[in-house]
Amino acid sequence: MPDQPSAQHPRVAVIGGSGFYEFMDNPTAVSLTTPYGDPSASIAVGDVGGTPVAFLPRHGARHELPPHRINYRANLWALRSLGVRQVLAPCAVGGLQPETRPGTLVVPDQLVDRTTSRVQTFMDTGAAHAPFADPYCPDLRAALVGSAGDGALGEGTMVVIEGPRFSTRAESQSYAKAGWTVVNMTGHPEAVLARELGVCYATIALVTDLDAGVSAEESVDQAQVFALFEQHIGRLKRLLADVVTRLPETPDCGCADWLADVTLPFELPGPSS
């Protein structure tokens, strides 16, 4: 019989900005370490509409970690150690197409990796190759699209750059010409590390700016990004709360099925599922 979720073993997690601490009722901090070091911060475990949920601030409790210094492996390992099997990952993105105006919500179905220095696998030995043709969990994506409402884009490609700098106009124009939808600095390697651990993962992206190549008159700066994200954080919290309360306790999406056919060079952490 599968383990049932509890306050100690939440099956759902949100990885997001520190503003999501108020997302849950009665949060309790859980400090963990992993074979890959410490996660970005203590994990808050609380309740959302009767569902146990874990929350991890991706950039640290005080937003002290830039995108290229986040310990993505420790973050995903720690969450799975707690019992998490489904991760929702809200993030800020730059829009690359005319329809991705600031304030637009996008639920990507594809990802392009343009990072350069990040460790993006747990497979340090052996031959275990995770399928990644479709990087996001279809069930989580469907739930996010269903809650996002009219005006949201239910598909799109998110290109992930190294950061912490923003793109040049030439880079941004090249991403747009490739047909990609939004640009971000944190969506990879989160998604592939979740897949390697058999954890369902999907993101909902809030467009905070038009990236540098979309308009000759506009470019992006940090103050603009932070201000617009803060303006919409209540909207994201309500959306995620709606999604969390409607997720099935036992996913039937197949995200973890590939693990049955490989020999992993490590033992999967956390309670059995």
Side-chain angles (χ1 to χ4, degrees):
M1 179 178 179
D3 288 346
Q4 296 300 308
S6 68
Q8 289 73 39
H9 300 296
R11 295 187 67 86
V12 182
V14 172
I15 302 177
S18 56
F20 283 89
Y21 270 121
E22 295 78 24
F23 174 64
M24 302 177 296
D25 294 324
N26 304 313
T28 300
V30 179
S31 295
L32 294 173
T33 191
T34 80
Y36 307 97
D38 295 337
S40 295
S42 297
I43 298 171
V45 178
D47 178 271
V48 176
T51 300
V53 176
F55 168 69
L56 178 61
R58 180 185 286 117
H59 292 278
R62 298 174 301 281
H63 209 102
E64 67 270 24
L65 298 171
H68 65 299
R69 293 297 186 188
I70 293 169
N71 191 339
Y72 295 97
R73 291 202 295 182
N75 286 352
L76 271 299
W77 190 275
L79 289 173
R80 198 187 195 283
S81 298
L82 279 180
V84 168
R85 298 296 182 270
Q86 297 167 303
V87 170
L88 301 168
C91 64
V93 296
L96 294 171
Q97 303 299 332
E99 65 270 23
T100 53
R101 305 294 301 181
T104 302
L105 290 174
V106 183
V107 182
D109 63 329
Q110 278 298 317
L111 180 152
V112 174
D113 173 27
R114 285 292 180 269
T115 63
T116 58
S117 66
R118 304 179 188 187
V119 180
Q120 57 177 293
T121 183
F122 292 105
M123 310 301 179
D124 292 331
T125 61
H129 307 284
F132 206 54
D134 298 300
Y136 302 112
C137 172
D139 289 358
L140 291 186
R141 284 195 67 256
L144 287 166
V145 171
S147 294
D150 295 339
L153 300 182
E155 59 184 18
T157 297
M158 183 166 74
V159 55
V160 185
I161 62 175
E162 182 69 6
R165 69 170 178 86
F166 293 115
S167 303
T168 67
R169 291 191 190 279
E171 289 167 338
S172 182
Q173 289 165 4
S174 73
Y175 304 153
K177 287 178 182 178
W180 303 334
T181 314
V182 293
V183 58
N184 165 266
M185 297 181 190
T186 58
H188 186 84
E190 271 188 5
V192 69
L193 293 172
R195 180 64 53 83
E196 287 189 348
L197 294 180
V199 173
C200 299
Y201 179 98
T203 186
I204 184 158
L206 172 68
V207 179
T208 57
D209 58 272
L210 287 175
D211 210 55
V214 177
S215 167
E217 295 77 30
E218 298 187 60
S219 62
V220 56
D221 63 61
Q222 178 174 301
Q224 177 186 359
V225 171
F226 285 7
L228 196 136
F229 197 83
E230 181 64 26
Q231 180 183 340
H232 288 269
I233 196 167
R235 175 188 179 195
L236 284 170
K237 288 178 185 177
R238 291 189 295 272
L239 186 156
L240 291 169
D242 183 63
V243 171
V244 162
T245 56
R246 295 191 293 106
L247 290 177
E249 289 187 0
T250 305
D252 190 30
C253 52
C255 291
D257 289 355
W258 75 279
L259 292 170
D261 300 321
V262 300
T263 299
L264 295 176
F266 55 82
E267 184 175 346
L268 287 168
S272 61
S273 57

